[in-house]
Amino acid sequence: MRLVHTIEEMREQSRAARAKAGHLALVPTMGALHQGHLSLVRAAGARASAVAVSIFVNPTQFAPGEDFAVYPRTLAADLKALEAEGVELVFAPSVDEMYASNNLTWVVVEGLSERLCGASRPGHFRGVSTVVLKLLHIITPDSAFFGQKDALQVAIIRRMVRDLNLATTIEVCPIVRDPDGLALSSRNRYLTPEDRQSALVLSRSLAQAEKLFKGGERRSDRLIQAAKQAFAREPRARLDYFEIVDLDTIEPVPTITQPVLIAVAAFLGRTRLIDNLILTP
Ligand code: AMP
């Protein structure tokens, strides 16, 4: 496994890996790796003969006052885990390497970037789409692997790839959860034991909506009401949104007649967590 810090070397190494392996897959991450990330690495390894993983805590997707400065950085442990997975290349650039100080160019997927988390985190998805485009441009992978955990990110990246005619195939992997249902997240380590327990309301609210849906309920407002009741019983958790939206446009869907995304975000103390599931009639 080779650890690369500069764009120039990553271009060279990616080109060589691609020529040798025939198919290079990329897994973009912010590090602090857990089994969710490693599931993407394994899926990438099953698809490609060479896997590259990027580890970059991207400052432009954090708003002032968010957790950029304290975001967990665990490079040594991450490298060990990736080595054990047989990863070929790890790209861990510095902020200065990735962004010129007078950066003026941004990628915005209009319309989608302001939905769901984009509404409560203005500018977040501009940072995400910009850094993903930069990584795809530097590494030129044949495929790139993302988690369904960040459902709007998936919709935005897919749309960017389509609109900008990028050659990389986007692959999406299911959400990995702890046995009690909590979706794995690098931010779970911020939670106190009490908040960790209360955080189960995210997956529970989704499960309640799904149960109603499986019982035949197709009105989104009724599913949303049930989810809000679950949150009302869990006062440590502050609901940010619970929405039922179209998978591609991310527009609210009042009556479920086609597959939809149910997405939830909530705060436990200062920690913001997200979760989602897809319902198919
Ligand atoms: P992050 O390091 O949080 O930027 O995440 C890097 C990638 O891992 C993204 O594509 C996430 O969607 C994915 N990911 C994060 N958590 C999970 C999870 N619990 N299950 C599956 N994929 C995940």
Side-chain angles (χ1 to χ4, degrees), residues 28-30 34 36-37 40 146-147 149-150 153 174-176 184:
T29 81
M30 297 205 299
H34 51 62
H37 297 113
L40 305 187
F146 294 86
K149 162 92 185 328
D150 297 87
Q153 171 170 284
I175 301 177
V176 177
L184 297 190

Side-chain angles (χ1 to χ4, degrees), residues 55 65 94 175 190 201 210 221 224 228 237 251 257 267 279:
I55 297 179
S94 67
I175 301 177
Y190 298 151
V201 67
E210 185 178 34
D221 57 349
I224 293 169
K228 287 191 171 160
E251 290 291 338
T257 55
F267 286 91
L279 292 182

Side-chain angles (χ1 to χ4, degrees), residues 15 54 68 100 107 142 166 199 202 211 240 270:
R15 206 178 293 130
S54 61
F68 174 70
V107 182
D142 300 280
L166 304 183
L202 278 90
K211 192 169 154 212
D240 182 4
R270 290 171 57 85

Side-chain angles (χ1 to χ4, degrees), residues 27-40 54-56 61 71 128 145-151 153-154 171-178 182-188 274:
V27 180
T29 81
M30 297 205 299
L33 301 182
H34 51 62
Q35 288 298 321
H37 297 113
L38 297 182
S39 75
L40 305 187
S54 61
I55 297 179
F56 180 61
Q61 68 190 69
Y71 193 85
V128 169
F145 286 71
F146 294 86
Q148 178 59 29
K149 162 92 185 328
D150 297 87
Q153 171 170 284
V154 165
E171 304 282 358
V172 182
C173 300
I175 301 177
V176 177
R177 300 172 179 282
D178 273 333
L182 184 67
L184 297 190
S185 162
S186 304
R187 291 189 168 98
N188 289 353
I274 58 173

